[in-house]
Amino acid sequence: MQRDATVMSKRLAALRAELKRQKLDGFIVPRQDEFQGEYVAAYAERLKWVTGFSGSWGVAVIGRKTAAIFVDGRYTLQVKHEVDGKAFQFHHLMTSPPTEWIGKSFTKGARIGYDPHILSVADAKRYSTACEKAKLKLIPVNHNPIDAIWKDQPPRPASAIVDHPLKYAGQSVAQKLKSIRSSLKEKGADAVIIADPTSVAWAFNLRGNDVPFTPVALCYAMVPATGKAHLFVDGKRLSTALQKSIKTHAACGGANVDGVLTSLGKRIAKVMLDPIAAPDHFRLALQKSGAKVIENPDPCMLPKAMKNKAEQQGARNAQLRDGAALSNFLCWLDDAAASGKLTEGEAARKLLAFRQENKELRDLSFESISAAGPNSALPHYHAHGEGRRLALNSIYLIDSGGQYPDGTTDVTRTVIVGKPSEEMCDRFTRVLKGMIAVSLIQFPEGTTGAHLDALARAALWKVGLDFDHGTGHGIGSYLSVHEGPQRISKTGNAPLKPGMIISNEPGYYKTRYFGIRIENLLLVTETQKLKGGERAMLGFETLTFTPIDRRLIDTKLLTREELHWIDGYHAEVLSKLQSRVSAATKPWLKDACAPFN
Amino acid sequence: MQRDATVMSKRLAALRAELKRQKLDGFIVPRQDEFQGEYVAAYAERLKWVTGFSGSWGVAVIGRKTAAIFVDGRYTLQVKHEVDGKAFQFHHLMTSPPTEWIGKSFTKGARIGYDPHILSVADAKRYSTACEKAKLKLIPVNHNPIDAIWKDQPPRPASAIVDHPLKYAGQSVAQKLKSIRSSLKEKGADAVIIADPTSVAWAFNLRGNDVPFTPVALCYAMVPATGKAHLFVDGKRLSTALQKSIKTHAACGGANVDGVLTSLGKRIAKVMLDPIAAPDHFRLALQKSGAKVIENPDPCMLPKAMKNKAEQQGARNAQLRDGAALSNFLCWLDDAAASGKLTEGEAARKLLAFRQENKELRDLSFESISAAGPNSALPHYHAHGEGRRLALNSIYLIDSGGQYPDGTTDVTRTVIVGKPSEEMCDRFTRVLKGMIAVSLIQFPEGTTGAHLDALARAALWKVGLDFDHGTGHGIGSYLSVHEGPQRISKTGNAPLKPGMIISNEPGYYKTRYFGIRIENLLLVTETQKLKGGERAMLGFETLTFTPIDRRLIDTKLLTREELHWIDGYHAEVLSKLQSRVSAATKPWLKDACAPFN
């Protein structure tokens, strides 16, 4: 699906002319936008516009004569379809990173440009170290050369910004700013620039619609230790009510971020920045104006991750709504797939329709992964067009989620169309055993996701199998479907804390045959102190309620405790959802939730 | 058990006079010696000599008028018994460390001395940072002020140094030096100073007897990228055969380490040092002579930890010998403890006698922990004198190990004298479940001890219990009973690799009542590829064979798989040991190994 070759080569030539004009020998083009977000607006699809690559992660480095694009394992095939191999070298982002390639591909003294509004402080530092080593000059550009030549670049989004009501947020803006200010005091900072739009949304109880799937306004904020905060956004975008309520806390104005930063730097001494979230030009502007930059993780990250009681209750409510829609879909699917004609695309649209039956749905939380047969073996699969048909006696995997005003959902179910093979049941049951082990674990304060990851894998490891993604990621509250700092993975070093929501999604993928993933969301809770127990323990409350396909479970592989869990889970699914599903789904739900014992 | 107060106050006064003479305002006195070892020779007991504190870890800082001693949680009670509270403040090593205390206790410009022959590079750096912050001067002393005033300081040990034969070592000195040199090449270093005596012993296939429990000679070595190595030890201490065989590889001479380093530094550019193992004066001497210091982990650490086939077979053989002795002891104990008069001390001596029946025993690998009743609740308990008597219906815990020429052992068994309570059986079974979970796990390359630690704890966590030590530590091959880099603990970040030996010793401790610990040693192995398995997996081979007390196991708490493990383990104990135990032990062993199923 390569784009028109002439168009693409004209763009590349125009960019090279612009580089010459700006006296640059090369330019770094990352996928990310000014907000380091997972989803970017159309205007920020610079990498795609200049290379043709449409993946969600990657970077190109374009020189006057040479160019290369760097993608990870998910995209090594796709990049070859989409990008002109005569114009671009293809490299693996991890094993042959751009920082190395730059050193080998430019001669000493070459001027490598980057857009400091896009590269984060941490990214710019990595490139800077690499350029220093190779004796190249790393140049922050004032005007992005792609923007300079992209005639019909779409406008920046300016969606309406609305209030996230207190009944869902659970905490007022005043309370949140107070907690941010106490972090500032702790670190001796005079102000913090909040660069992550989900943190701005959290801190000011607002939501927007600038990008798909994540209900944020693309903007920054500045919170000083004393005095009014500043929201770097055009005040007119705020709803009238929000304009009024926010006035007490913050001034609005998005036109001149650098100007505000410079005047800020002149007035106060120490400004806190998260080097992973903040674009490098914040650092440059602050340092130029004489302020000291204190690099520190975003102070909103931890309180945003630890959901309060209102957010927890919101999550429970959203999940029930979502579970009912997914159950209606799975019931419908059992019939509809029997024809052998149902496509992946049609299935995904039907699920969206079931979700939309509930008027609370605001958006999906990511593009659904609707994968039939061998496609289910690709953890990040997305169909082009209608995709594959669901064949008899094959696996179908659906990974999807919704955005509701009280919570964000993310759930995966794997079902059999027709009859499963023994191998499918064995693998499904092992994945389920891992999912149950994580669901059941209790653990003391201080335990991290890295400490728990093996529980999700032990039943697979036992027979020489594994899966190549993390076991779980954090989830926002009507915010991003991927949220830090918590995760369950080999490298998940953040302690799990009460109120955090995390996914529990072990899998198994047999390339070219089938894939399995079962995903519930879990809430970290403080457990009741047990009789004879000596220490406080944390545990998980399951938030996701939708049947797990009994036809794929080999009960011989389950322990008594695991059998007890699955029967208990299904009993809860039935009792919570039976009044919420459609009349047609009710008998199906009862069957799907029947106990084994 | 405080020492004679007059003696101790005279020592402190003499030290203060010496500090004055050396123009120092304070001096840092750590427990460790010049080799950072777990066991130190009598001459190096400087902390004990000047404070009275006999624990295995701690540090004092002594000023002209003020002084403080810092110990960890194991020793907070003991330090008060042993050290004069009027002369020394007592602080916790972690929560109120000496680096903080120094900053608060001395005035700007004060001169704080340390012995760079003792403090490691890493330790000296920590003190240096603290002193810089508090504007104090950190002074490396030429002559340790305690040595200057300690009239009857024992001589430095100079035990005979003998060959560690190839049949046990499995690899020649030439092969080992080759592997060290390839590490040097990789890091661009011209030489390495090996500061850890266990690494010197490993690299040169030699063993000594300078300290109890660890069969090393206290010495350093230097290995250049090309040319002869240097052993910093008096050549006369080597056996004649060893003198001959080592000549090809190394020159010997212990008199003037600094001289050799200085001349080395003048000749070559880059010298590798392990900042945790090397004393700071290495760094000082090298830098003074113009060499660049490359800080890098000891290149012997990983190959020493990954036992070769000969060392693995040696470990198996040593363990069987040791298991037979421990079984003879446990059989004897069942009878002997019935009287209610047996003491902890007598039991430990009897176990030593059983071990000594085998002429291969060279030493114990650490001081046995022989703990009756409430004493078993102290994980690091050591009796003073005869200790407590083993009472009826109480727990007895024995943690001990031996040094054999082919391997080092470390094993813990917990047994009931008389009848156990329900609580004891519940806790014992939960500890056992954790021990079994670790024994059974298979895992891919790259998995660390931190990833597996939770497996050992899950059954305790489930009822609100836990234990406050790591689950396992590495073990040497006729070397130190504690060896890195591998360990199973929350912070065990070294990947487990084939050939590593590691302990598996979960526990549970009910303060003032009873304690439980069950410890086997495990060898990391590559598992047979399973039918249908897709990936190579590592696993554990159990090395320790001695019955686990069946009277304390509540089989109702075990899964089928766990029951299968314990019955299988006992069948293996019986088959391996029945020909090795005494005639009197044989029928006992059969009973102790009877299957549940």
Side-chain angles (χ1 to χ4, degrees), chain B residues 19 70 107 128 130 155 160 168 181 187 300 311 355 374 383 399 424 440 486 508 511 521 549 568 580:
Chain B
L19 293 187
F70 305 80
T107 50
S128 165
Y168 300 139
R181 285 179 169 128
K187 301 285 169 183
C300 304
E311 290 170 322
R355 279 205 168 94
D399 184 352
M424 288 171 185
L440 281 173
Q486 76 274 25
Y508 166 75
T511 311
L521 297 192
D549 196 345
R580 293 173 170 267

Side-chain angles (χ1 to χ4, degrees), chain B residues 293-364:
Chain B
V293 170
I294 300 180
E295 294 192 4
N296 197 65
D298 179 351
C300 304
M301 186 154 54
L302 203 56
K304 182 178 65 181
M306 293 171 67
K307 275 73 181 167
N308 58 46
K309 293 291 167 206
E311 290 170 322
Q312 293 176 20
Q313 192 49 47
R316 289 187 194 100
N317 297 342
Q319 298 286 345
L320 291 184
R321 229 173 279 141
D322 203 62
L326 186 55
S327 298
N328 286 336
F329 167 78
L330 291 175
C331 165
W332 168 86
L333 187 82
D334 265 3
D335 260 358
S339 69
K341 288 186 181 158
L342 182 65
T343 65
E344 294 166 343
E346 202 178 337
R349 286 193 301 277
K350 188 71 184 180
L351 174 55
L352 175 61
F354 278 119
R355 279 205 168 94
Q356 283 170 333
E357 282 177 8
N358 193 301
K359 65 179 186 349
E360 297 289 346
L361 185 80
R362 295 291 176 270
D363 196 352
L364 296 182

Side-chain angles (χ1 to χ4, degrees), chain A residues 177 181 200 204 206 219-224 227-236 238 242-243 245-254 260:
Chain A
L177 292 179
R181 286 179 167 128
V200 175
F204 293 93
L206 54 83
C219 67
Y220 310 116
M222 185 276 293
V223 180
K228 249 190 194 181
H230 193 102
L231 259 179
F232 293 99
V233 72
D234 181 356
K236 289 184 205 123
L238 276 59
L242 194 56
Q243 279 183 31
S245 66
I246 219 114
K247 217 191 285 179
T248 345
H249 306 294
C252 289
V260 175

Side-chain angles (χ1 to χ4, degrees), chain B residues 8-58:
Chain B
M8 295 311 289
S9 79
K10 272 188 186 160
R11 288 178 185 175
L12 193 57
L15 177 61
R16 284 178 165 146
E18 178 64 22
L19 293 187
K20 195 173 170 191
R21 213 186 59 73
Q22 294 201 21
K23 299 194 176 60
L24 296 173
D25 298 300
F27 187 64
I28 299 163
V29 187
R31 166 46 169 47
Q32 71 252 42
D33 65 358
E34 290 83 341
F35 302 91
Q36 316 298 324
E38 198 170 346
Y39 301 105
V40 305
Y43 85 91
E45 292 276 18
R46 297 176 181 98
L47 180 65
K48 186 174 168 187
W49 187 82
V50 81
T51 69
F53 175 66
S54 71
S56 69
W57 197 244

Side-chain angles (χ1 to χ4, degrees), chain A residues 192-203:
Chain A
V192 59
I193 315 284
I194 304 174
D196 177 346
T198 70
S199 290
V200 175
W202 175 84

Side-chain angles (χ1 to χ4, degrees), chain A residues 25 31 76 192 207 238 393 486:
Chain A
D25 299 299
R31 164 58 171 33
T76 41
V192 59
R207 295 295 185 269
L238 276 59
N393 306 332
Q486 75 274 26

Side-chain angles (χ1 to χ4, degrees), chain B residues 393-407:
Chain B
N393 305 333
S394 76
I395 289 281
Y396 172 70
L397 183 155
I398 176 80
D399 184 352
S400 68
Q403 290 287 6
Y404 301 88
D406 47 359

